[in-house]
Amino acid sequence: MSDKQLVLREIMGALEELGKRPVSVTMETSLLHDLSLDSVTALDFIMQLETRLDIIIPMDGMAEIETIGDLVGVLTRSTSKAA
Amino acid sequence: MLARFRALRSDLATVTAVGRDPFGVAFDAILSATEAILDGKRVLLLGTNNYLGLTFDQDCIDSAVAAIMAQGTGTTGSRIANGTYGGHAALEQRLARFLGRRHAMVFTTGYQANLGTLSTLAGRGDHLLLDADSHASIYDGAKLGNAQVTRFRHNDPDDLRRRLRLLADQPGEKLIVLEGIYSMLGDTAPLREMVKVKREAGAWLLVDEAHSVGVLGAHGRGLAEAEGVEADVDFVVGTFSKSLGAIGGFCAFDLDDFGALRVAARAYMFTASLPPSIIASVFQAIEAMEAQPQLRDILRRNGQHLHAGLAAAGFALGAKPSPIVSLPMPDSETAIRFWNQLLDAGVYTNLALGPATPGGRPLLRMSVSAALTPDQIDTAIAALTQTGQRLGLIAVGMAAAE
Ligand SMILES: Cc1ncc(COP(=O)(O)O)c(C=O)c1O
């Protein structure tokens, strides 16, 4: 499985853990507008992904994350670094 | 530029639609550490953080008055620019002696103590590890500095350990930041386990004892004293605005080289120092806190009394008994309605809405004071129970089964 697929699977898992079961998630899905993750929920969501993927995303890198695509980008960069 | 505030304004409109503006309560008069007049009516104050009730302590008031008469109303500048007054240095020494530390540094508020300390202690290339439920001042202090910031799961030593392991091969110092008592739910940090993780990783540890100084420990030095791990805590941050009944903040430590903080911490250098009256009342409040350890026992009993009364009424409580007692609310509307109806019944509490609360969940937050009488607490429990029943949060008749 590619890093990207692995990351997407974990994103879906983490969303489910948050009680969100979106009909469809694309790279353009906005965390705030489509998934209604406010700033705090988004931080908790990212914290869950850090645990699932055993990585660290520094908080100053989080500001640039608006869409699922942004998130996948940041996560794949961190996972390949960790490997 | 104002467009950004539109969402905030509409949130506020929702909050105020049900009744008063919970963030704009203006009291007609403050009668004591536990009572005030609001809209011409006497209300019981159940959300003050005035843990020891020292705001009306006669000795504290007398000291403040004497200082204002002798030294005037303000210092009109920072200590870097306008110099240190005798009281500032004496308070720092007194505080260090009370906490059993070599040094203490006084800031103008607790917020600024975190801002100044966190942004300066950890620099570029260093790592700050913050508990997810940290107070806004800790997040802001981290944001102001240049260290890399990582957030770990609230009160989870394993998650902290995992993150430190991932950071192990990165250069730079690691500073872990915890709170003694967390302000929203009143839960405490598992400090002994956290200390173990800190030692394994060779990290530094800062504990914000804002809500636990004067509250926990045999001498009131906070959670680190209560857990017997003071030697492993490198920096203690705290405030004068809660158990000490005034305003101001501090950072205390044993390391001699951190004196440079005074010429590096912007939140210390670029703001006016505390006025002589405040310095004097805080100094006296430390004396009062040391001389009256029974205040802590009364405080503990009051917290247990409120907690037990609410549990007996059928409320689900946010944490174990502590001077902070929080009721998780099902949603913001119920929280706002609960808060309003309680105030109608003469009890003032804190309405805490997301994002300031853990997980963004709404809370009705209360804190007790040693100055509350058992009768006052019973009155509060009765009002809370009736309101909870009216809003369908608890079953009618539960309390009677007690
Ligand atoms: C944990 C914590 N740290 C710092 C502060 C800031 O203290 P102050 O209100 O004295 O600025 C508070 C309270 O407001 C707090 O709860």
Side-chain angles (χ1 to χ4, degrees):
Chain A
M1 202 178 343
S2 77
D3 278 355
K4 200 169 140 184
Q5 278 173 318
L6 172 88
V7 159
L8 258 178
R9 200 187 55 192
E10 294 302 334
I11 288 178
M12 295 309 289
L15 277 176
E16 209 157 296
E17 223 177 291
L18 273 179
K20 307 250 173 206
R21 284 203 192 76
V23 195
S24 75
V25 167
T26 69
M27 289 299 172
E28 283 73 46
T29 302
S30 152
L31 298 185
L32 175 66
H33 302 294
D34 302 318
L35 299 171
S36 14
L37 298 182
D38 60 30
S39 57
V40 172
T41 329
L43 282 185
D44 287 346
F45 175 55
I46 290 170
M47 196 161 61
Q48 269 184 22
L49 286 166
E50 292 178 286
T51 311
R52 282 167 171 264
L53 295 161
D54 203 22
I55 53 170
I56 283 182
I57 304 170
M59 279 186 79
D60 58 3
M62 291 182 191
E64 65 188 63
I65 303 175
E66 280 179 22
T67 62
I68 292 289
D70 298 337
L71 185 58
V72 169
V74 170
L75 293 175
T76 31
R77 249 179 286 140
S78 309
T79 37
S80 49
K81 235 190 296 169
Chain B
M1 194 164 101
L2 293 177
R4 264 185 301 126
F5 296 101
R6 221 171 275 147
L8 201 56
R9 228 183 296 135
S10 91
D11 281 357
L12 193 58
T14 323
V15 169
T16 50
V18 188
R20 308 170 187 80
D21 173 5
F23 312 116
V25 171
F27 294 108
D28 306 333
I30 300 291
L31 303 178
S32 69
T34 62
E35 286 188 314
I37 302 281
L38 179 69
D39 300 332
K41 262 179 41 188
R42 198 176 266 263
V43 293
L44 182 62
L45 300 175
L46 206 62
T48 56
N49 304 318
N50 193 353
Y51 296 120
L52 302 179
L54 291 179
T55 50
F56 280 81
D57 180 89
Q58 196 55 52
D59 293 337
C60 291
I61 292 175
D62 290 345
S63 296
V65 170
I68 218 169
M69 297 300 273
Q71 299 172 63
T73 50
T75 65
T76 63
S78 88
R79 285 168 65 182
I80 301 296
N82 290 18
T84 288
Y85 287 31
H88 292 131
L91 178 61
E92 285 177 338
Q93 281 159 19
R94 183 69 185 87
L95 197 61
R97 178 150 63 85
F98 165 67
L99 292 167
R101 300 277 170 178
R102 301 254 296 273
H103 308 283
M105 195 173 151
V106 166
F107 290 82
T108 306
T109 64
Y111 178 86
Q112 284 161 300
N114 272 329
L115 219 57
T117 312
L118 293 177
S119 64
T120 315
L121 283 180
R124 199 174 300 285
D126 294 334
H127 296 268
L128 277 171
L129 293 110
L130 314 183
D131 184 285
D133 280 4
S134 289
H135 187 260
S137 56
I138 293 174
Y139 280 113
D140 292 356
K143 222 185 223 175
L144 189 63
N146 295 311
Q148 183 180 307
V149 184
T150 302
R151 194 171 169 254
F152 60 90
R153 284 175 189 258
H154 174 55
N155 274 354
D156 188 339
D158 291 332
D159 193 43
L160 175 61
R161 183 180 282 114
R162 185 183 70 77
R163 285 163 191 276
L164 282 162
R165 176 173 51 72
L166 288 171
L167 294 173
D169 57 358
Q170 293 200 26
E173 304 285 349
K174 279 104 194 175
L175 175 62
I176 303 164
V177 182
L178 308 173
E179 290 177 34
I181 295 181
Y182 285 86
S183 57
M184 282 296 143
L185 293 176
D187 50 337
T188 53
L191 202 49
R192 272 185 244 177
E193 288 167 70
M194 293 296 196
V195 157
K196 223 184 280 167
V197 178
K198 172 229 169 178
R199 283 191 181 179
E200 287 165 14
W204 301 86
L205 176 60
L206 179 150
V207 180
D208 179 345
E209 302 260 22
H211 290 270
S212 34
V213 160
V215 172
L216 297 179
H219 301 87
R221 295 199 297 264
L223 182 66
E225 186 196 7
E227 296 291 311
V229 294
E230 284 171 288
D232 285 292
V233 175
D234 303 294
F235 303 96
V236 190
V237 167
T239 175
F240 303 149
S241 71
K242 303 182 195 300
S243 59
L244 295 167
I247 189 166
F250 67 84
C251 178
F253 45 87
D254 287 323
L255 299 127
D256 293 325
D257 5 339
F258 282 100
L261 269 181
R262 292 189 199 269
V263 288
R266 301 170 68 83
Y268 176 87
M269 299 165 67
F270 297 110
T271 194
S273 62
L274 285 170
S277 52
I278 297 296
I279 294 285
S281 97
V282 172
F283 193 103
Q284 185 55 42
I286 296 174
E287 301 283 324
M289 184 165 68
E290 279 194 342
Q292 303 169 70
Q294 69 275 17
L295 288 178
R296 257 188 310 287
D297 298 326
I298 302 171
L299 176 67
R300 196 172 310 119
R301 274 205 301 277
N302 283 350
Q304 284 164 350
H305 183 168
L306 180 63
H307 194 277
L310 295 179
F315 282 108
L317 291 140
K320 286 193 293 217
S322 96
I324 297 172
V325 179
S326 279
L327 293 180
M329 293 281 126
D331 50 65
S332 298
E333 291 74 48
T334 311
I336 295 163
R337 209 164 285 136
F338 202 124
W339 180 87
N340 267 291
Q341 293 188 13
L342 258 184
L343 200 46
D344 290 338
V347 180
Y348 181 80
T349 55
N350 307 131
L351 175 65
L353 303 175
T357 57
R361 284 180 291 275
L363 293 171
L364 193 80
R365 178 190 181 276
M366 292 161 274
S367 58
V368 295
S369 166
L372 285 167
T373 64
D375 279 351
Q376 284 177 310
I377 297 174
D378 282 333
T379 304
I381 293 170
L384 279 148
T385 304
Q386 277 168 16
T387 309
Q389 289 172 346
R390 200 177 313 121
L391 291 173
L393 292 185
I394 50 170
V396 178
M398 279 285 291
E402 194 187 350

